[in-house]
Amino acid sequence: MREDIERLLERLVHASVLERVVISVAALFAAILVGGVLVFASGGFASCRTGLDLGGATFCYNPMQVYYELFLGSLGHPLEGDWSPMNYSLATTLRQTTLLIFAGLSVAVAFRAGLFNIGTQGQLVVGGLLTAVTVLFAAQYVPGGGVGTALLVPLGVLAGAIGGGFYGAIPGALKAYADANEVITTIMLNFIATGVTATLLSWRFQDPDSANPQTRTVPEYAEIPNVPVVGFSGRMDFSLLALGFAVALMLGIAWLLARTSFGYELRTSGVQPAAAAYGGVDEKRMTVASMTLSGALGGVAGAFWVLMQHGRWLENVPPLGFDGIAVSILAGNNPLGVGAAAFLFGVLSSGSSSINTATDVPPELVGVLSGLVILFVAMPEFFRMIGRRFVDVGDAAPARTTGGEADD
Amino acid sequence: MVRDRRRFLRAAGAAGFAAMAGCVGGFGEGGGETDASVGMVYATGGLGDDSFNDMAQQGVLQADEEFNISYDEAEPDSVGEFDGAQREFAASGDYDLVSCIGFAQEDALRGNAEEYPDQDFIIVDAGVETDNVRSYNFDEPAGSFLVGHLSGLLTDTEFAAGDSETNPDESVVGFVGGEESPLIESFQAGFEAGVEHANPDAEVLSSYVGDFNDTASGQETARSMYESGADIVFHAAGRTGVGVFQAAESENRFAIGVDDDQSKSQEDYADVILASMVKRVDEAVFSAIESVIDDSFEGGDTEQLGLEDDGIETVYGQSIGDEIPDEIKDEVESSRQEIIDGEIEVPQEL
């Protein structure tokens, strides 16, 4: 038994890229199968007017219909007539993908530095509010039109990055200089972010014309512009430019981690903090710097949420930062994998709303389905990460220090 | 073993493809045209609140029984999702009517009503003046005034029903709101005015939970009110309000329900629910669907539903409502008449 497990782990750890892709796809199908059975069975407990009568019971939900909506609905039903690639469902999928690339990168960068940043959500909330407030303020002094766009959009994104970065630096500094566990501090700072921003909103920034808790809308020219002709329509809250920026940032972070001395120091302090310190990395500064970078990426996610999706900051911020944790784990903390994982999440989120409207399946069950898909797809990678601790990885194994302690 | 696995995989694959070939539509669906198809976008508390959203659903279910309609439902989790949910229905062009339940959908609907001029919409609890939107507004302050009046009278009376009783030495009642917004504040304003009308010295404790779907916080908030001497707590908080009933039960005090006759929809707590301020959202939704079927849908208007047309009414609890003394009920009834006649001015905001 034990031997079997070891052999399996070894197999997983040594799997080639192609094999890993095959495993992921197989896991996806397994999740679909299990989820389908679950949907079908729970249809037996629901009540409906018409259903499939089978052995005395009535089954209300058709799993095939559910998956059809989940995967093809998220693309806007490409197999049906009058499909256009610029449809709203696809815009939702790609919008979610864009935002989750930022959030996923934020978590991944901290992970690679050996830090578990659960605070992306808080950094996103703070960055988003700062973006909205800064743009609303600056818009009074900036001319409209193209000039306004060219000035306000970068300013807003920068404000988000600074806000998020500052908010990420706090747990970084607490970790480096007071040895406070970053898992605890980031979780707590999430609550503080929610409370403080809600208070700031009602104190000063609430839109007086609206019943919803939200800031005023930024001028239209301050929103992320659409690509003319090939782009999605302005009301779809998605811009190909934003997706392009997200992909560029993703490549930039991958390059930063792989090719720069900063990235090398970040990775080594993640893999072997003691060895990194011995090799001359200023451990404390590295902790603060990587948390700041991670927070800045979270803040950028908030900025895009404001400037691309809503044009204003809303008090009810969706849990993008928490989804970012799952995206990053699914991607094995690899910046390039974050793109693919974010796209899967985008499909699940847009497909879920499609299921919601097109079928009678309750939203809770749809949540279970998405959860199953994520769980199954992430599991092989998870076991791979665990397996590396037990299996000799051969050449890729890092040299282990014997007793060398960092000077504290 | 290996052979078995192969055979299993082959069989499973074949079964899978066979199933895939089957239709991807819903079971038993298709065939038969319907008179109307309705898209419902519920407020953030979601279905199962036994209150506002469920009342709206009642309207569709009733229409479904009386006419040949089909309907689909969306339950957004947050304000940011309303736009997408409305659009999902409107963009498909398959729906004769899209019902937007709740004031928080107003901003999103303003944009969508303009973008989809051929789509008919209704909105409940807000006003959108576009030709393809019919708005339904209820006179919540007047209804809240009446239950406030009832609470103010009862808190000074020695009254016991079920396992609960009032404390006649102290005149304290409570109000628990969901999200702090002008609409919910108008409930509070009416309630406070009603209490004051009954007893100018009575104290009203008011608090907002900040969520329509947080039963635990609702319970905590109400419990602290009961512990500060409140005899009766009125809620306007959707699913959060269930927590108020739970607290009333454990503290042996009373509560007042909202939107639906909650002594019916929340039967477990019927022994603490004195009355409910019923808001006929179901009527609004039903009549809108009816008008679509009759081809008499008129957009651009706001329909005001108040006490006189029973759009808002005070419904006494199924199980303990009978024990409320008749003279108190008479007083509430007479102040209802006075509001209709314009003799009592109910404040519309705090």
Side-chain angles (χ1 to χ4, degrees), chain A residues 278-303:
Chain A
Y278 186 72
V281 177
D282 184 341
E283 209 186 341
K284 294 182 194 305
R285 229 182 51 204
M286 205 59 230
T287 303
V288 179
S290 47
M291 278 305 280
T292 309
L293 177 61
S294 169
L297 287 165
V300 170

Side-chain angles (χ1 to χ4, degrees), chain B residues 28-58:
Chain B
E29 261 180 30
E33 277 287 292
T34 54
D35 295 336
S37 118
V38 182
M40 300 291 293
V41 183
Y42 292 107
T44 47
L47 288 174
D49 59 358
D50 288 320
S51 181
F52 187 57
N53 285 315
D54 281 6
M55 272 303 257
Q57 195 190 30
Q58 284 297 320

Side-chain angles (χ1 to χ4, degrees), chain A residues 33 40 49-52 59-66 68 73 88-89 92 95 207 209-214 233 235-237 309-310 312 314-316 318 350 353-360 362-364, chain B residues 16 19-29 64 69-81 83-85 87-89 91 95 103-108 111-112 115-116 179-183 210:
Chain A
L33 203 66
F40 185 74
R49 270 177 310 167
T50 51
L52 181 73
F59 292 91
C60 295
Y61 311 141
N62 181 352
M64 296 311 286
Q65 185 198 15
V66 168
Y68 176 79
Y88 180 65
S89 298
T92 310
R95 178 209 307 141
D207 176 5
D209 299 329
S210 173
N212 299 332
Q214 62 188 30
S233 107
R235 282 272 298 135
M236 288 189 182
D237 300 332
Q309 188 169 359
H310 292 297
R312 64 191 140 217
L314 298 162
E315 193 185 300
N316 278 323
S350 168
S353 64
S354 185
I355 296 179
N356 221 331
T357 47
T359 74
D360 293 333
E364 290 80 4
Chain B
M20 204 109 62
C23 77
V24 290
F27 288 151
E29 261 180 30
D64 190 35
I69 66 161
S70 62
Y71 61 92
D72 286 312
E73 300 169 309
E75 298 176 58
D77 286 327
S78 69
V79 175
E81 291 171 40
D83 184 54
R87 189 196 298 262
E88 195 116 2
F89 286 127
Y95 297 89
F103 66 88
Q105 306 203 32
E106 183 180 336
D107 289 341
N112 282 322
E115 186 167 358
Y116 301 100
E179 273 167 33
E180 203 161 353
S181 62
L183 177 83

Side-chain angles (χ1 to χ4, degrees), chain A residues 258-289:
Chain A
R259 291 289 151 86
T260 63
S261 59
F262 175 77
Y264 176 76
E265 290 183 3
L266 188 145
R267 281 184 295 126
T268 40
S269 53
V271 179
Q272 282 283 337
Y278 186 72
V281 177
D282 184 341
E283 209 186 341
K284 294 182 194 305
R285 229 182 51 204
M286 205 59 230
T287 303
V288 179

